[in-house]
């Protein structure tokens, strides 16, 4: 087979269209998630090495000002400016109408780092005082504070990861300037995360639910954030090579790579399709022995050699490959220092030959148009594998190592004597 080609210039053009023109109408329902869409776009251009050359200083300032417009006075960031009814009208009684939310806060902070801001306008103390209020008794985090300070939103690992990431960025290595500011309950958070591991090794949104690659990434991401600045947090079995939990998770992650891509392999000729005999089988096999029933099962041929050239990832058992899971699974394996266990070449072939779009970006699956989520996921997965022309990526922040290094230059990240 010919070498798959990464069309870098087309991807840059795709992201610039998304940044500087109107998005397609299908994004309308995501208006309140503009912070996330901005993250995919800005971080994508940064990973492509095009951010500095393709946006002006004036545009950069405008993006930073927009991010600060999304900051809530009592701490944290909203998802977009549409809920802001004005600081002069805001009172303690009505601030639940325009709340900060945990994911938007994390993505806003990472965006500011990518854009080179020094976070001097971030209400750091207020944000870190707000964060513990969102933690529930079981150690999980909600999304927003409702009326009366009630924690609202789901109690799953996505919010745990974003809360841990926000704490990581704003507390820093030294915690300078945070005397008297209460921290989250790290021990209870770790307990909740580890309780989300299922019987098959993967991680679910909450205890006793189904394992899922995206939530697995969030679990390991949260633990990574916690461990990076607090190595004395006690035993984290999921991050301990040799533990049963680590091994079970590793086995589950590696098992997510699949050559089942969801391509339509059925013939267009009706004569080639056997008649549906399911009702007859149910009716006629009641009195058969087990061996006789097994003999009636269809003979499924093994995969053809050609089909094994492409192997993406799925998010759950018995699902087709999907571009975004190349990020969630690979990113988790990078944090576990086990990326070498997957077939990186076949994942590359899948992304570049099956879901990379001719106009730039990546689609969810074969033949699908590009969208920001899957375009970003395909890009980052290739960056993890060292694709030429892409910057290296911090797997927990999901941003370039250049942005991570900028974060470590902030005052509260400097070691104290």
């Amino acid at each position: 087979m010919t070498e798959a080609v990464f069309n870098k210039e087309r991807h840059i053009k795709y992201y610039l269209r998304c940044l500087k023109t109107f998005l397609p109408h299908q994004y309308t329902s995501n208006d309140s998630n503009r912070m996330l869409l901005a993250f995919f776009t800005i971080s994508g251009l940064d990973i492509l090495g095009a951010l500095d050359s393709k946006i002006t200083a004036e545009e950069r300032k405008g993006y930073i000002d927009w991010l600060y417009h999304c900051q809530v006075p009592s701490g944290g960031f909203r998802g977009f400016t549409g809920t802001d009814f004005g600081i002069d009208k805001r009172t303690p009684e009505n601030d639940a109408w325009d709340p900060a939310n945990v994911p938007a806060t994390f993505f806003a902070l990472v965006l500011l780092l990518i854009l080179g801001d020094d976070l001097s306008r971030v209400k750091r103390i207020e944000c870190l005082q707000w964060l513990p209020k969102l933690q529930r008794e079981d150690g999980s985090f909600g999304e927003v504070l409702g009326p009366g300070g009630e924690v609202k939103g789901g109690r799953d690992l996505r919010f745990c990861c974003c809360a841990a990431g926000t704490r990581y960025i704003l507390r820093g290595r030294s915690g300078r300037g945070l005397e008297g500011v209460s921290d989250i309950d790290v021990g209870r958070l770790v307990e909740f995360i580890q309780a989300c591991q299922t019987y098959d090794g993967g991680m679910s949104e909450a205890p006793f639910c189904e394992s899922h690659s995206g939530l697995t990434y969030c679990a390991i991401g949260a633990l990574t954030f916690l461990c990076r600045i607090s190595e004395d947090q006690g035993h984290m079995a999921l991050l301990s090579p040799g533990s049963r939990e680590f091994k079970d998770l590793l086995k589950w992650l590696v098992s997510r790579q699949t050559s089942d891509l969801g391509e339509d392999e059925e013939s267009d000729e009706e004569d080639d399709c056997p008649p549906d005999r399911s009702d007859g089988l149910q009716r006629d096999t009641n009195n058969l022995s087990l061996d006789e029933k097994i003999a009636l099962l269809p003979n499924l041929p093994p995969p053809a050699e050609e089909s094994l050239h492409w192997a993406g990832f799925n998010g759950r058992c018995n699902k087709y490959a999907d571009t975004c899971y190349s990020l969630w699974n690979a990113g988790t394996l990078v944090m576990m220092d086990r990326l070498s266990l997957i077939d990186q070449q076949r994942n590359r072939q899948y992304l570049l030959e099956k879901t990379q779009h001719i106009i730039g970006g990546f689609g969810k699956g074969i033949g699908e148009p590009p969208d920001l989520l899957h375009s970003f996921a395909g890009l980052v997965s290739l960056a993890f594998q060292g694709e030429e022309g892409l910057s290296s990526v911090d797997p927990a922040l999901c941003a370039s190592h250049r942005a991570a290094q900028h974060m470590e230059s902030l005052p509260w990240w400097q070691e104290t004597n």
Side-chain angles (χ1 to χ4, degrees), residues 83 122 171 234 382:
T83 58
V122 170
R171 289 195 73 88
L382 291 171

Side-chain angles (χ1 to χ4, degrees), residues 324-344:
C324 69
Y325 296 119
S326 288
L327 165 58
W328 307 135
N329 288 289
T332 307
L333 288 165
V334 172
M335 287 185 278
M336 299 173 73
D337 194 25
R338 294 296 187 275
L339 186 65
S340 60
L341 294 180
I342 65 169
D343 193 322
Q344 298 181 47

Side-chain angles (χ1 to χ4, degrees), residues 72-74 85-98:
V72 172
S74 53
F85 48 83
I87 187 100
D88 55 324
K89 297 182 177 65
R90 192 181 188 93
T91 67
E93 289 72 32
N94 67 22
D95 60 3
W97 302 352
D98 176 33

Side-chain angles (χ1 to χ4, degrees), residues 4-39:
V5 177
F6 175 61
N7 297 317
K8 179 176 178 176
E9 292 305 317
R10 292 182 185 179
H11 290 289
I12 292 173
K13 290 179 180 178
Y14 170 77
Y15 279 105
L16 288 174
R17 282 196 300 271
C18 293
L19 179 63
K20 299 190 178 187
T21 63
F22 290 111
L23 292 172
H25 69 87
Q26 288 89 348
Y27 287 89
T28 302
S29 60
N30 278 289
D31 200 34
S32 61
N33 290 325
R34 287 192 192 186
M35 189 68 74
L36 178 60
L37 300 180
F39 170 76

Side-chain angles (χ1 to χ4, degrees), residues 278-304:
S278 58
D279 292 340
L281 282 173
Q282 288 181 350
R283 185 172 57 254
D284 297 337
T285 59
N286 290 331
N287 297 321
L288 297 180
S289 68
L290 178 61
D291 288 340
E292 289 172 325
K293 291 178 180 179
I294 293 174
L296 288 175
L297 293 173
N299 182 26
L300 299 177

